[in-house]
Amino acid sequence: MRKASLHGQWSSRFAFVLAATGSAVGLGNIWKFPYIAGENGGGAFVLIYLLCILAIGLPIMVAEIMLGRRGRQSPINTMRDLAAEAGASRFWSWLGWLGVIAGFLILSYYSVIAGWAMAYVVRVASGVFEGATADGVSNIFGQLIADPEKLLAWHSLFMIVTMLVVARGVKGLERTVKFLMPALLVILILLVGFGMEQGAFEQAASFLFKADFSKVSSEGVLTAMGHAFFTLSLGMGAIMVYGSYLPTKVSIGSTAVIIALADTVVALLAGLAIFPIVFANGLEPGSGPGLIFQTLPIAFGHMAYGSVFGTLFFVLLVFAAWSSSISLIEPAVAWLVENKKMSRMRACIWAGLATWILGIGTVLSFNLTADVKLFDKTFFDILDYLTANVMLPLGGLSIAVFAGWVMSKENSASELQLKSPILFNSWLFLVKFVSPVAVAIVFLKAIDVI
Ligand code: TRP
């Protein structure tokens, strides 16, 4: 296999951990996790999600990084070459295609939500939330999403900035993340502190950690599992591409553990910051995608220097979204560069333009076309369901099957270099049996086949 990637290489293991954590930690942790936990009744959902991270997410992350490093190209070409190496069908390059498409679909709505966060930077900084009531805060959110022009403007700005960073290539990514994660962590802890002092913290903690399994449906289990993929950026080749820029000596196993741990801590902190405010203000935990925008401003409106911290929080959230978006579009860009012989700049323009256009559908689904529904889902809901609950689990399942069954044991062992044979065999057992079976059962149950 190739020694290095056409697109460059990370300068160190630390650079890879930063970039991969930057990809993993994003709107999924701070915006999505709390609202889907709220919609699915809390505790039991959170427990299932944690279990999925551990038993499905982690082994698949190891597998995905490994495939990327061995293939050293965009997911499509990596899968084609690795399949050839293993003497398997060329059909496997479809896995790469699935990923390129999933990343493009996700980014199209991800960018719109990141746009909300950008809009909130301005709002919090202007002081509109100072002393605001829960109703006042909800109204401000309602006004924002009811205005398609504003949403479109923020979505456009976010896409432009993202594509500018991507156009600069791998090296551009490294610097963006270094200071951001620690700073975000500090503000989150501060917010949890606010919740402890002034919110309904105990109620929030028992909502998040007391498991009542009667509250989750099989659909909820699928959502929890899908979110484990989403939050770790798995199942579509994002981490595979990042892995393809990884120097050969780095240990994949321990790196994956660090990334998953950091990602989980951020999500749980976000939950612990948001739910005390939800309960203290009599808000509805299941109020949907607007949850953080309807809760956190209440905290910022009532704490000392709230406008300063609030502004900083939303700035950091935008940065976290950026470092994730980059990985959503990187597989497509890497493929355009490799196969269509485009310059990186041109590839970015085309990929960015297509994503931007599709994003308009999401913008409108919160206002003008909010009533246009298919199976009771808006355009945004459909994209979210299709990607997080269908495409990522199927992509992850295929990655597990490929790593566990198709690739030879010698090759995976030599690529992983795990410290002990016990570790390697446990990993192999997880990707061969546990992950594929679990994904298949959850998926088939949710769509009522079994
Ligand atoms: N993990 C990111 C988040 O939690 C989103 C993301 C980035 C992603 N790259 C991805 C999701 C690849 C799935 C696949 O916000």
Side-chain angles (χ1 to χ4, degrees), residues 30-379:
I30 294 172
W31 158 74
K32 194 173 180 189
F33 171 71
Y35 93 74
I36 56 175
E39 284 177 342
N40 289 285
F45 177 89
V46 174
L47 194 69
I48 295 168
Y49 154 79
L50 291 175
L51 209 75
C52 289
I53 295 271
L54 210 66
I56 304 176
L58 203 53
I60 292 184
M61 186 189 285
V62 170
E64 197 173 329
I65 299 174
M66 175 190 83
L67 297 183
R69 189 169 69 183
R70 203 165 172 81
R72 294 236 183 269
Q73 299 162 78
S74 74
I76 297 174
N77 295 337
T78 286
M79 289 314 298
R80 190 200 52 215
D81 286 8
L82 292 183
E85 183 192 48
S89 144
R90 278 180 71 89
F91 173 78
W92 282 101
S93 62
W94 275 99
L95 179 53
W97 277 108
L98 182 81
V100 167
I101 295 165
F104 157 72
L105 296 180
I106 295 174
L107 184 56
S108 79
Y109 70 80
Y110 203 84
S111 163
V112 175
I113 311 293
W116 298 359
M118 285 178 132
Y120 266 61
V121 172
V122 184
R123 282 172 182 62
V124 181
S126 74
V128 285
F129 294 117
E130 272 163 35
T133 59
D135 274 349
V137 170
S138 279
N139 278 339
I140 291 175
F141 177 70
Q143 278 166 16
L144 172 70
I145 63 165
D147 188 339
E149 284 165 20
K150 278 205 183 112
L151 295 192
L152 183 62
W154 289 115
H155 162 56
S156 312
L157 184 62
F158 185 83
M159 278 310 300
I160 290 170
V161 181
T162 300
M163 297 324 290
L164 282 176
V165 178
V166 178
R168 294 177 53 196
V170 182
K171 289 282 176 260
L173 315 183
E174 287 194 28
R175 263 162 287 148
T176 334
V177 227
K178 218 173 257 176
F179 302 102
L180 196 125
M181 296 293 144
L184 189 63
L185 202 66
V186 170
I187 300 211
L188 272 178
I189 293 173
L190 199 81
L191 282 168
V192 175
F194 176 85
M196 282 180 173
E197 290 233 325
Q198 308 208 6
F201 192 78
E202 270 171 41
Q203 206 178 337
S206 86
F207 177 77
L208 281 173
F209 300 119
K210 261 217 185 96
D212 172 357
F213 285 91
S214 67
K215 286 191 190 154
V216 256
S217 55
S218 45
E219 188 66 45
V221 177
L222 175 63
T223 303
M225 184 182 77
H227 187 63
F229 286 106
F230 187 92
T231 194
L232 295 176
S233 305
L234 294 179
M236 51 83 49
I239 293 293
M240 197 186 285
V241 173
Y242 278 15
S244 74
Y245 308 146
L246 192 64
T248 318
K249 285 188 300 275
V250 173
S251 142
I252 293 176
S254 53
T255 310
V257 172
I258 297 174
I259 299 165
L261 200 67
D263 186 80
T264 307
V265 167
V266 173
L268 293 179
L269 283 177
L272 285 174
I274 287 162
F275 283 104
I277 307 172
V278 169
F279 293 118
N281 291 280
L283 299 170
E284 179 49 53
S287 58
L291 191 65
I292 66 161
F293 299 96
Q294 291 161 319
T295 50
L296 293 184
I298 302 177
F300 295 129
H302 289 92
M303 63 199 233
Y305 305 106
S307 295
V308 178
F309 287 126
T311 309
L312 200 59
F313 173 81
F314 282 107
V315 168
L316 290 170
L317 185 58
V318 172
F319 272 104
W322 264 332
S323 58
S324 302
S325 316
I326 288 164
S327 71
L328 283 165
I329 202 73
E330 181 68 19
V333 170
W335 179 77
L336 287 173
V337 171
E338 284 166 19
N339 291 47
K340 297 285 155 205
K341 304 286 173 262
M342 284 191 193
S343 68
R344 217 177 148 83
M345 189 48 129
R346 270 186 89 84
C348 285
I349 293 173
W350 285 111
L353 202 63
T355 313
W356 178 76
I357 293 173
L358 189 67
I360 297 173
T362 293
V363 163
L364 298 178
S365 75
F366 287 103
N367 36 69
L368 300 182
T369 62
D371 296 325
V372 181
K373 290 184 179 173
L374 197 68
F375 302 115
D376 208 29
K377 286 179 161 50
T378 65
F379 185 77

